[in-house]
Amino acid sequence: MTDTVRTGARAPAMDRISVSGLLRARETGVFLALVVLCLFLTFATDGFLTSINLLNVGRQISLLGIMAVGMTFVLISGEVDLSVGSNYALSGLATGMLIIAGWGLLPALCVGLLTGMAIGLINGVLSTYGRLPSLIATLGMLSVVRGAALILTNGQPVTVNVRNGADPSVLETFSFIGQGYLFGVVPMQLVFFIIIAALAWVVLSCTNFGFRVFAVGGSAKAARVSGISINSVKIWAFVLMGALSAFAGILSLAFLPSGQAGRTGLGLELDVIAATIVGGASLSGGEGTILGTILGVLIIGVMRNGLVLMGVSPFVQELMIGLVIIIAVGIDKWTTHRRA
């Protein structure tokens, strides 16, 4: 049975080694769609294909990408997390409030990340030992965490600056991780996204934990028979999602040092799930790659950037992103049905 699970989990990676497997890969279709979209925007706008705009796109997709990396693990394990936007808000605002209170940067960052991980842990426990569908558990946590953020801030905006009590040296470093540039060119947010995506690729593709995530999402029964702790794997996937949501929220506050609990991260979970599914992750579990997620994030980010450059109304932008979500989920369900 162990051999069966191992074969099932590793088969997609082996298929992609061959040319025919590459042509069938979901990532190939997403990549081609991205190329077509970029070509269209190159001719339809004047400023799309410039280094400044492309780096700007890289910065714009970074926070979404960091969260989508975490969602990739959750979806592959066969679960979903709707609380990421609220987690993003609470963890980021909590970190900012600690900095205003005079805390050092490292302790404040640690508390922010631990807050996100704690939320992920609760989601994981509710979805496993609590036997609640993750859709329901995390939907409830979405409101609980958002309410906690409102209570913590008393519904008031949190602005991190010297006037509110932040130490100037701490504020300088905090601002750099959100607003700074590596070598004066590459936005730090993009640098963090690249590092996190690379580490996630290693974990998902080259470690036992990555194998277990695929095994649990592909067939929980087979994974259980082979000795894999299903609950443990799913809980760790949620904890990772929580940590990355918190980190993205912290980077967001470092970039724009003001936020409000009622608005920060509102609806962000939809973009995160959409980008991950567009990249090839399945709502049914057992499928997904970090490369596909990166491509999905790029599709969403390039589309938003292009629509802005073309002067399309923000309302129409939301409509089009919604259509992308519907089409992506439809393709996922259709391909899953065909394979069955």
Side-chain angles (χ1 to χ4, degrees), residues 139-226:
L139 180 62
M141 283 297 292
L142 180 153
S143 295
V144 169
V145 176
R146 182 71 64 180
L150 288 167
I151 293 171
L152 180 66
T153 63
N154 198 29
Q156 299 300 311
V158 174
T159 302
V160 185
N161 55 29
V162 176
R163 183 169 50 189
N164 286 341
D167 184 276
S169 60
V170 172
L171 184 59
E172 182 180 0
T173 306
F174 184 61
S175 298
F176 176 75
I177 66 175
Q179 304 172 15
Y181 290 83
L182 182 65
F183 306 124
V185 177
V186 185
M188 285 302 299
Q189 291 186 16
L190 180 58
V191 172
F192 285 121
F193 174 39
I194 293 171
I195 293 173
I196 289 172
L199 291 175
W201 179 84
V202 172
V203 171
L204 195 58
S205 304
C206 308
T207 68
N208 286 333
F209 177 70
F211 158 69
R212 290 169 182 169
V213 171
F214 276 106
V216 167
S219 174
K221 182 178 180 180
R224 183 181 294 108
V225 171
S226 68

Side-chain angles (χ1 to χ4, degrees), residues 269-306:
E269 58 278 348
L270 298 180
D271 279 358
V272 174
I273 294 172
T276 312
I277 294 175
V278 168
S282 173
L283 288 171
S284 302
E287 292 187 29
T289 64
I290 297 301
L291 174 59
T293 294
I294 293 172
L295 292 173
V297 169
L298 284 170
I299 287 281
I300 299 295
V302 168
M303 179 180 294
R304 284 194 182 278
N305 178 261

Side-chain angles (χ1 to χ4, degrees), residues 63-73 241 271-272 275-276 293 297:
L63 301 185
L64 174 63
I66 289 171
M67 299 176 73
V69 165
M71 190 64 74
T72 302
F73 283 84
M241 177 76 261
D271 279 358
V272 174
T276 312
T293 294
V297 169

Side-chain angles (χ1 to χ4, degrees), residues 10-25:
R10 297 182 184 273
M14 295 301 294
D15 285 345
R16 294 187 182 96
I17 294 176
S18 66
V19 175
S20 59
L22 179 63
L23 293 176
R24 290 195 302 268

